[in-house]
Amino acid sequence: MNKGGKLIIFSAPSGSGKTTIVRHLLDKFDGLAFSVSACTRKRREGEIDGRDYYFLDTDLFNEKIENNEFVEYEEVYPGNFYGTLKSEIDRLWDMGKHVLFDIDVEGGLNIKKQYMDKALSVFVKPASIEVLKERLHNRSTETPEQLEVRLNKAVSELRYENQFDCILINADLKMAFTEAETLVSNFTGLESKD
Ligand code: 5GP
């Protein structure tokens, strides 16, 4: 295991743009790798098992909970479980990478609590609730009911920002990219590709 490996956690309400920022960072830093979570929700079109998520059925997910294989897991949306496997962090550390997370607010705080100084927790904050609502509406991957659930959860998650190591305001995407790159460089010592 790579004892020097660090964890960088990007958490945010759904619709804050954190996934866009995480993808940008993966392009910019060879030394980072994405933590693929396990989940029980259905695979969306274009998603690949093992790249986007490890898509597990509920029985297998429960088996892994019982075997204590998760660093953290959560029922993020009713009936849909998501979690980070210990084996995933080890897999990426063994490759000599620092691990980048795109997970929800509670999961992010949970990982930070366990790894402390080895982890940097970043809260990505949307410019406003209106912007967040608009992003969620435009995504159209959800039914109106699912959208409502996501919106309610997003609004309640905004209350957690002060529990994170830093807050990244995503009002201007270019500025958010630059700020995120600086956070990663300062925390890991990695240099970004130009
Ligand atoms: P989606 O269904 O849109 O892919 O993701 C739903 C939510 O689950 C997102 O907010 C995402 O960040 C979160 N999520 C993804 N992986 C994990 C995980 O391993 N643990 C937790 N707690 N949340 C996760």
Side-chain angles (χ1 to χ4, degrees), residues 5-85:
K6 293 189 172 170
L7 308 175
I8 303 157
I9 306 154
F10 280 84
S11 292
S14 197
S16 300
K18 73 175 181 303
T19 304
T20 312
I21 293 170
V22 163
R23 288 202 184 122
H24 172 80
L25 291 172
L26 289 166
D27 274 350
K28 278 281 176 179
F29 294 92
D30 284 334
L32 293 181
F34 180 66
S35 167
V36 179
S37 296
C39 78
T40 62
R41 81 148 160 74
K42 284 209 186 83
R43 198 168 59 80
R44 293 183 191 134
E45 215 182 302
E47 286 183 328
I48 296 175
D49 185 43
R51 183 194 69 181
D52 299 288
Y53 284 105
Y54 299 112
F55 293 98
L56 308 181
D57 62 31
T58 307
D59 285 348
L60 188 52
F61 199 98
N62 284 334
E63 199 180 303
K64 288 183 185 296
I65 294 174
E66 273 163 32
N67 292 340
N68 201 20
E69 291 180 52
F70 285 104
V71 178
E72 62 81 36
Y73 69 90
E74 221 187 305
E75 188 176 8
V76 175
Y77 298 110
N80 284 335
F81 287 81
Y82 296 75
T84 305
L85 290 161

Side-chain angles (χ1 to χ4, degrees), residues 26-190:
L26 289 166
D27 274 350
K28 278 281 176 179
F29 294 92
D30 284 334
L32 293 181
F34 180 66
S35 167
V36 179
S37 296
C39 78
T40 62
R41 81 148 160 74
K42 284 209 186 83
R43 198 168 59 80
R44 293 183 191 134
E45 215 182 302
E47 286 183 328
I48 296 175
D49 185 43
R51 183 194 69 181
D52 299 288
Y53 284 105
Y54 299 112
F55 293 98
L56 308 181
D57 62 31
T58 307
D59 285 348
L60 188 52
F61 199 98
N62 284 334
E63 199 180 303
K64 288 183 185 296
I65 294 174
E66 273 163 32
N67 292 340
N68 201 20
E69 291 180 52
F70 285 104
V71 178
E72 62 81 36
Y73 69 90
E74 221 187 305
E75 188 176 8
V76 175
Y77 298 110
N80 284 335
F81 287 81
Y82 296 75
T84 305
L85 290 161
K86 291 176 186 166
S87 58
E88 179 65 3
I89 296 178
D90 288 341
R91 179 179 79 84
L92 302 175
W93 276 353
D94 284 347
M95 288 164 63
K97 305 285 189 183
H98 299 292
V99 184
L100 193 58
F101 294 85
D102 173 351
I103 67 176
D104 90 329
V105 166
E106 269 185 63
L109 290 173
N110 199 339
I111 291 184
K112 172 68 190 182
K113 220 184 275 168
Q114 294 180 57
Y115 288 89
M116 302 299 286
D117 290 350
K118 273 175 116 40
L120 178 75
S121 61
V122 184
F123 184 92
V124 182
K125 188 176 174 175
S128 67
I129 289 188
E130 284 65 39
V131 170
L132 184 137
K133 285 184 180 167
E134 201 181 300
R135 283 220 192 100
L136 280 176
H137 275 291
N138 291 343
R139 224 156 59 169
S140 71
T141 46
E142 286 95 26
T143 64
E145 292 75 28
Q146 287 169 333
L147 189 66
E148 191 60 31
V149 171
R150 279 183 185 246
L151 257 178
N152 288 337
K153 180 173 153 65
V155 170
S156 71
E157 281 183 330
L158 286 171
R159 295 192 209 112
Y160 288 86
E161 63 178 68
N162 291 327
Q163 296 184 40
F164 283 76
D165 292 327
C166 41
I167 299 171
L168 179 63
I169 297 175
N170 184 15
D172 174 284
L173 194 57
K174 258 196 182 159
M175 275 171 67
F177 281 168
T178 308
E179 213 177 304
E181 285 175 40
T182 306
L183 287 172
V184 169
S185 291
N186 289 346
F187 188 64
T188 61
L190 292 174

